[in-house]
PDB file of all heavy atoms in Angstrom:
ATOM      1  N   ASN A1405      52.903 -27.535  64.282  1.00 98.00           N
ATOM      2  CA  ASN A1405      51.417 -27.708  64.214  1.00 98.00           C
ATOM      3  C   ASN A1405      51.042 -28.624  63.047  1.00 98.00           C
ATOM      4  O   ASN A1405      51.778 -28.733  62.055  1.00 98.00           O
ATOM      5  CB  ASN A1405      50.777 -26.350  64.043  1.00 98.00           C
ATOM      6  CG  ASN A1405      51.230 -25.607  62.764  1.00 98.00           C
ATOM      7  OD1 ASN A1405      52.186 -24.785  62.754  1.00 98.00           O
ATOM      8  ND2 ASN A1405      50.563 -25.805  61.647  1.00 98.00           N
ATOM      9  N   THR A1407      48.897 -29.072  59.774  1.00 97.00           N
ATOM     10  CA  THR A1407      48.366 -28.086  58.833  1.00 97.00           C
ATOM     11  C   THR A1407      47.117 -28.756  58.108  1.00 97.00           C
ATOM     12  O   THR A1407      47.326 -29.752  57.485  1.00 97.00           O
ATOM     13  CB  THR A1407      49.463 -27.681  57.773  1.00 97.00           C
ATOM     14  OG1 THR A1407      50.538 -27.156  58.445  1.00 97.00           O
ATOM     15  CG2 THR A1407      48.896 -26.665  56.836  1.00 97.00           C
ATOM     16  N   LYS A1430      46.702 -25.878  62.470  1.00 98.00           N
ATOM     17  CA  LYS A1430      46.429 -24.686  61.753  1.00 98.00           C
ATOM     18  C   LYS A1430      45.491 -24.964  60.564  1.00 98.00           C
ATOM     19  O   LYS A1430      45.761 -25.934  59.833  1.00 98.00           O
ATOM     20  CB  LYS A1430      47.702 -24.026  61.148  1.00 98.00           C
ATOM     21  CG  LYS A1430      47.418 -22.882  60.261  1.00 98.00           C
ATOM     22  CD  LYS A1430      48.656 -22.152  59.794  1.00 98.00           C
ATOM     23  CE  LYS A1430      48.861 -22.285  58.351  1.00 98.00           C
ATOM     24  NZ  LYS A1430      49.823 -21.275  57.903  1.00 98.00           N
ATOM     25  N   LYS A1432      43.197 -23.837  57.322  1.00 98.00           N
ATOM     26  CA  LYS A1432      43.017 -22.873  56.265  1.00 98.00           C
ATOM     27  C   LYS A1432      41.507 -22.472  56.188  1.00 98.00           C
ATOM     28  O   LYS A1432      40.636 -23.308  56.190  1.00 98.00           O
ATOM     29  CB  LYS A1432      43.418 -23.408  54.930  1.00 98.00           C
ATOM     30  CG  LYS A1432      44.928 -23.548  54.762  1.00 98.00           C
ATOM     31  CD  LYS A1432      45.609 -22.266  54.542  1.00 98.00           C
ATOM     32  CE  LYS A1432      47.081 -22.412  54.335  1.00 98.00           C
ATOM     33  NZ  LYS A1432      47.819 -21.136  54.178  1.00 98.00           N
ATOM     34  N   ASP A1460      44.247 -19.650  59.277  1.00 98.00           N
ATOM     35  CA  ASP A1460      45.060 -18.891  58.369  1.00 98.00           C
ATOM     36  C   ASP A1460      44.096 -18.564  57.260  1.00 98.00           C
ATOM     37  O   ASP A1460      43.687 -19.362  56.523  1.00 98.00           O
ATOM     38  CB  ASP A1460      46.216 -19.634  57.831  1.00 98.00           C
ATOM     39  CG  ASP A1460      47.170 -18.866  56.952  1.00 98.00           C
ATOM     40  OD1 ASP A1460      46.770 -17.713  56.650  1.00 98.00           O
ATOM     41  OD2 ASP A1460      48.196 -19.407  56.639  1.00 98.00           O
ATOM     42  N   ASN A1462      44.927 -16.266  54.873  1.00 98.00           N
ATOM     43  CA  ASN A1462      45.705 -15.681  53.823  1.00 98.00           C
ATOM     44  C   ASN A1462      45.145 -14.351  53.246  1.00 98.00           C
ATOM     45  O   ASN A1462      45.088 -14.195  51.995  1.00 98.00           O
ATOM     46  CB  ASN A1462      45.809 -16.714  52.650  1.00 98.00           C
ATOM     47  CG  ASN A1462      46.634 -17.943  53.051  1.00 98.00           C
ATOM     48  OD1 ASN A1462      46.198 -18.987  53.199  1.00 98.00           O
ATOM     49  ND2 ASN A1462      47.959 -17.683  53.221  1.00 98.00           N
ATOM     50  N   GLU A1484      45.910 -16.012  61.577  1.00 98.00           N
ATOM     51  CA  GLU A1484      47.048 -15.680  60.710  1.00 98.00           C
ATOM     52  C   GLU A1484      46.520 -14.933  59.540  1.00 98.00           C
ATOM     53  O   GLU A1484      45.630 -15.400  58.777  1.00 98.00           O
ATOM     54  CB  GLU A1484      47.660 -16.910  60.318  1.00 98.00           C
ATOM     55  CG  GLU A1484      49.004 -16.758  59.441  1.00 98.00           C
ATOM     56  CD  GLU A1484      49.751 -18.073  59.227  1.00 98.00           C
ATOM     57  OE1 GLU A1484      49.814 -18.837  60.293  1.00 98.00           O
ATOM     58  OE2 GLU A1484      50.358 -18.318  58.234  1.00 98.00           O
ATOM     59  N   LYS A1532      59.063 -17.038  57.524  1.00 98.00           N
ATOM     60  CA  LYS A1532      59.457 -18.121  56.594  1.00 98.00           C
ATOM     61  C   LYS A1532      60.832 -17.899  56.117  1.00 98.00           C
ATOM     62  O   LYS A1532      61.167 -16.760  55.687  1.00 98.00           O
ATOM     63  CB  LYS A1532      58.445 -18.154  55.435  1.00 98.00           C
ATOM     64  CG  LYS A1532      57.035 -18.421  56.042  1.00 98.00           C
ATOM     65  CD  LYS A1532      56.011 -18.943  55.107  1.00 98.00           C
ATOM     66  CE  LYS A1532      54.667 -19.113  55.894  1.00 98.00           C
ATOM     67  NZ  LYS A1532      53.655 -19.839  55.207  1.00 98.00           N
TER      68      LYS A1532
HETATM   69  O1  OSB B2537      52.005 -22.755  58.516  1.00 56.28           O
HETATM   70  C1  OSB B2537      51.753 -23.936  58.182  1.00 56.28           C
HETATM   71  O2  OSB B2537      51.335 -24.780  58.974  1.00 56.28           O
HETATM   72  C2  OSB B2537      52.110 -24.376  56.759  1.00 56.28           C
HETATM   73  C3  OSB B2537      52.602 -23.373  55.800  1.00 56.28           C
HETATM   74  C4  OSB B2537      51.441 -22.675  55.122  1.00 56.28           C
HETATM   75  O3  OSB B2537      50.391 -22.582  55.544  1.00 56.28           O
HETATM   76  C5  OSB B2537      51.817 -22.041  53.864  1.00 56.28           C
HETATM   77  C6  OSB B2537      52.526 -22.771  52.907  1.00 56.28           C
HETATM   78  C7  OSB B2537      52.805 -22.293  51.616  1.00 56.28           C
HETATM   79  C8  OSB B2537      52.368 -20.968  51.318  1.00 56.28           C
HETATM   80  C9  OSB B2537      51.682 -20.276  52.233  1.00 56.28           C
HETATM   81  C10 OSB B2537      51.424 -20.741  53.518  1.00 56.28           C
HETATM   82  C11 OSB B2537      50.732 -19.836  54.520  1.00 56.28           C
HETATM   83  O4  OSB B2537      51.037 -19.923  55.747  1.00 56.28           O
HETATM   84  O5  OSB B2537      49.954 -18.990  54.145  1.00 56.28           O
END
Side-chain angles (χ1 to χ4, degrees):
N1405 61 270
T1407 303
K1430 174 170 115 166
K1432 288 285 182 181
D1460 186 353
N1462 290 111
E1484 181 170 326
K1532 303 200 176 189

